[in-house]
């Protein structure tokens, strides 16, 4: 028997006028008669981190069990269907321990495991975050080493945002070095163009918006040629992937059209939906496409800023998130804060479902991902540093078994978890932030 099938390269792109569209995993990328686990198309291992601001109502997050059984309380109920790929870790603390009780150290210390230097000036210092440690390991194999997303505009926050700490510590959760925080992208259009090209001046981009054309139109001929060369299952997968790209672009164009008519302020950004749910949905969908097409293997998503003044009309609350988080143990406000936490969990669950519905090799994209979900602050009322709400979702390529509640020793630094994660990705480092040892999930 002669096997003549040649494998398509994993880094195959479709190119058009000023655009480059990476492809999702296709069966055609695996050589004939080669097990996927041993082929060049072996699924990559990915990392993501989704941050919750202003802490959580821990009574509605932390399981009451002590034997490792995973009990899913109200905040995480939207993630119930991912139980088998969910691990909760108890008894984690942020850097600084009992002596650090502030919003700034919460966001700055979550992925760095380090305590931010007290300063309101430019001499900021914290630590390299785990996402950037991993980006140096796995991000060099992708067009974009990492993606950093958020939903609130931080550009106007400079100087000291809380007593004794620079706004820089609250404007990002991703740190390339001890002194360099990475900017978080909030505009879906800008994020889309970074992924797919479409360079040009602001005037050029505005002209394209008025033309109401899809970037996929410019790669139509190449797409048709590719579809004649791949198997039927790959044609379906390719069609679905490109349909998702087109739908994301349609929603961005719709938001831009609405914003250009309704927002008169000259500095108002185009392309950012009015509703938080639509905004987060777009950003999450861009991350789905980035994972599917291997544009990046590392992302961070800051769903809200610490001390956020955002309100939630969709939930019927008039007070700001920050005010509600200071609940003073009153039942009404604790219920409201729980609903806000759950609201974010619901949007996160939609993202996970799309990853789970993205076929890859013998499983799906979620099977080969490890995504952290939690907060850098414990209880919002007291700004506690312990215990943190922390969970990971995904199979990490078989390296993590879910459906468990792992109870770490009391006051285990979250940096210890990041050391274990670094090992999982083949990035051996001796210490991260205030780590005291390695904690394996």
């Amino acid at each position: 028997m002669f096997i003549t099938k040649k494998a398509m390269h994993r880094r195959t792109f479709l190119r058009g006028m000023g655009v480059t569209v990476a492809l999702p995993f296709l069966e055609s990328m695996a050589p004939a008669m080669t097990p996927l686990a041993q082929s060049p198309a072996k699924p990559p291992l990915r990392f993501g981190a989704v941050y919750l601001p202003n802490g959580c109502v821990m009574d509605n997050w932390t399981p009451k069990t002590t034997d490792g059984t995973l009990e899913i309380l109200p905040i995480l109920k939207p993630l119930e269907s991912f139980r088998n790929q969910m691990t909760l870790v108890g008894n984690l603390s942020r850097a600084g321990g009992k002596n650090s009780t502030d919003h700034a150290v919460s966001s700055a210390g979550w992925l760095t495991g380090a305590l931010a230097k007290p300063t309101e000036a430019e001499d900021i210092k914290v630590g390299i975050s785990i996402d950037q440690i991993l980006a140096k390991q796995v991000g060099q194999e992708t067009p974009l080493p990492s993606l950093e997303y958020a939903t609130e505009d931080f550009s106007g926050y400079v100087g000291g945002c809380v007593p004794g700490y620079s706004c820089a510590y609250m404007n990002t959760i991703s740190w390339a070095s001890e002194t360099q925080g990475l900017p978080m992208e909030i505009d879906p259009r800008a994020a889309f163009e970074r992924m797919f090209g479409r360079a040009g001046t602001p005037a050029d981009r505005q002209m394209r918006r008025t033309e109401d054309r899809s970037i996929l139109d410019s790669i139509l001929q190449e797409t048709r040629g590719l579809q004649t060369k791949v198997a039927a299952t790959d044609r379906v997968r390719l069609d679905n992937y490109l349909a998702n790209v087109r739908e994301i672009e349609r929603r961005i164009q719709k938001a831009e059209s609405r914003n250009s008519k309704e927002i008169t302020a000259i500095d108002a950004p185009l392309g950012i939906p009015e509703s938080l749910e639509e905004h987060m949905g777009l950003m999450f969908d861009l991350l789905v496409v980035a994972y599917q097409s291997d544009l990046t293997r590392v992302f961070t998503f800051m769903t809200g800023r610490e001390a956020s003044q955002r309100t939630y009309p969709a939930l019927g609350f008039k007070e700001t998130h920050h005010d509600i988080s200071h609940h003073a143990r009153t039942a009404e406000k604790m219920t409201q804060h729980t609903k806000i936490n759950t609201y974010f969990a619901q949007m996160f669950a939609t993202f996970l479902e799309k990853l789970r519905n993205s076929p890859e090799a013998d499983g799906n994209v979620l099977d080969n991902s490890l995504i952290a979900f939690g907060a850098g602050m414990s209880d919002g009322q007291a700004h506690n540093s312990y215990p943190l709400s922390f969970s990971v979702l995904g199979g990490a390529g078989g390296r993590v078994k879910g459906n468990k509640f792992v109870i770490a020793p009391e006051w285990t630094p979250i940096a210890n978890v990041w050391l274990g994660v670094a090992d999982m990705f083949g990035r051996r480092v001796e210490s991260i932030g205030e780590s005291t040892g390695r904690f394996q999930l």
Side-chain angles (χ1 to χ4, degrees):
M1 179 174 67
F2 295 94
I3 305 298
T4 59
K5 174 188 172 185
K6 294 183 179 180
M8 182 187 302
H9 196 278
R10 180 67 181 90
R11 295 247 49 85
T12 300
F13 297 91
L14 298 177
R15 291 180 171 83
M17 291 294 292
V19 301
T20 300
V21 178
L23 295 178
F25 174 82
L26 302 174
E27 291 180 6
S28 303
M29 294 172 179
M33 305 300 290
T34 302
L36 286 170
Q38 301 173 16
S39 76
K42 178 183 177 181
L45 183 58
R46 309 173 181 89
F47 175 80
V50 179
Y51 185 80
L52 297 174
N54 300 324
C56 285
V57 179
M58 299 305 297
D59 292 346
N60 293 322
W61 174 289
T62 307
K64 306 300 188 293
T65 56
T66 59
D67 61 355
T69 302
L70 179 60
E71 177 188 14
I72 299 180
L73 296 183
I75 292 174
L76 296 177
K77 278 295 182 182
L79 303 175
E80 178 82 47
S81 67
F82 301 96
R83 168 187 289 274
N84 290 334
Q85 288 190 310
M86 182 194 303
T87 298
L88 266 63
V89 183
N91 288 344
L92 297 182
S93 68
R94 69 166 177 246
K98 297 178 181 179
N99 297 321
S100 65
T101 56
D102 203 282
H103 287 283
V105 298
S106 299
S107 50
W110 192 54
L111 294 179
T112 65
L115 181 61
K117 174 184 177 180
T119 180
E120 295 183 12
E122 296 180 358
D123 57 331
I124 57 174
K125 184 177 181 180
V126 58
I128 303 175
S129 53
I130 181 62
D131 60 297
Q132 292 307 299
I133 291 173
L134 298 182
K136 293 178 181 179
Q137 178 73 12
V138 302
Q140 306 311 306
E141 302 176 29
T142 57
L144 301 172
S146 63
L147 291 173
E148 297 77 36
Y149 288 174
T151 62
E152 292 187 87
D153 186 3
F154 309 145
S155 59
Y157 295 96
V158 295
C161 282
V162 292
Y165 289 96
S166 168
C167 295
Y169 295 130
M170 299 168 64
N171 291 348
T172 184
I173 55 174
S174 181
W175 291 80
S177 72
E178 293 182 341
T179 59
Q180 182 188 359
L182 296 178
M184 313 294 285
E185 180 59 67
I186 69 169
D187 188 341
R189 165 63 67 176
F192 188 91
E193 291 182 356
R194 184 185 178 198
M195 291 170 59
F196 297 111
R198 307 222 78 182
T201 66
D204 293 334
R205 292 193 293 272
Q206 183 60 39
M207 183 178 296
R208 286 197 292 264
R209 293 184 188 111
T210 59
E211 290 176 353
D212 195 29
R213 294 173 60 237
S214 168
I215 70 164
L216 300 183
D217 293 340
S218 67
I219 60 170
L220 185 60
Q221 182 174 354
E222 191 170 355
T223 301
R224 287 172 175 168
L226 177 63
Q227 288 174 324
T228 64
K229 302 176 183 177
V230 299
T233 53
D234 282 347
R235 287 197 293 272
V236 173
R237 189 170 296 178
L238 182 61
D239 286 343
N240 290 338
Y241 170 73
L242 295 178
N244 287 338
V245 173
R246 189 182 294 275
E247 173 60 15
I248 291 171
E249 186 175 47
R250 184 196 68 78
R251 287 155 56 194
I252 292 173
Q253 290 171 340
K254 182 178 179 181
E256 290 177 332
S257 176
R258 181 175 62 242
N259 289 347
S260 64
K261 296 176 182 178
E262 297 178 359
I263 300 177
T264 58
I266 191 171
D267 59 349
L270 292 174
I272 299 177
E274 184 176 337
S275 78
L276 173 63
E277 188 168 345
E278 185 180 355
H279 189 183
M280 281 190 61
L282 264 176
M283 303 308 275
F284 272 137
D285 283 354
L286 286 167
L287 291 172
V288 170
V289 170
Y291 265 10
Q292 287 176 334
S293 57
D294 206 27
L295 280 172
T296 194
R297 296 175 187 175
V298 179
F299 81 82
T300 52
F301 192 179
M302 198 173 185
T303 63
R305 190 176 190 272
E306 284 296 333
S308 172
Q309 298 300 303
R310 173 181 280 142
T311 58
Y312 296 87
L315 300 179
F317 306 152
K318 296 182 179 180
E319 291 186 85
T320 69
H321 190 173
H322 185 218
D323 289 340
I324 289 174
S325 71
H326 285 276
H327 47 69
R329 300 297 298 179
T330 61
E332 180 183 8
K333 280 198 171 183
M334 290 182 73
T335 297
Q336 290 177 340
H337 198 195
T338 295
K339 288 183 178 180
I340 292 174
N341 295 152
T342 307
Y343 183 50
F344 282 106
Q346 289 170 342
M347 291 183 277
F348 180 53
T350 300
F351 166 65
L352 294 179
E353 185 63 30
K354 291 180 179 180
L355 294 183
R356 186 164 63 181
N357 289 336
S358 300
E360 183 174 61
D362 297 325
N364 56 66
V365 172
L366 185 59
D367 291 336
N368 300 303
S369 304
L370 183 72
I371 303 174
F373 179 67
M377 177 184 295
S378 182
D379 178 60
Q381 167 64 26
H383 294 180
N384 290 348
S385 59
Y386 172 88
L388 297 181
S389 52
F390 185 84
S391 63
V392 292
L393 284 296
R399 296 167 177 82
V400 176
K401 304 299 181 183
N403 196 21
K404 61 185 178 183
F405 173 45
V406 181
I407 304 176
E410 292 187 355
W411 290 92
T412 294
I414 194 171
N416 290 9
V417 174
W418 300 139
L419 275 181
V421 169
D423 290 346
M424 192 182 304
F425 280 75
R427 180 74 173 178
R428 181 75 180 186
V429 291
E430 295 308 314
S431 66
I432 294 177
E434 295 187 351
S435 59
T436 60
R438 318 184 93 79
F439 186 89
Q440 305 297 336
L441 293 170

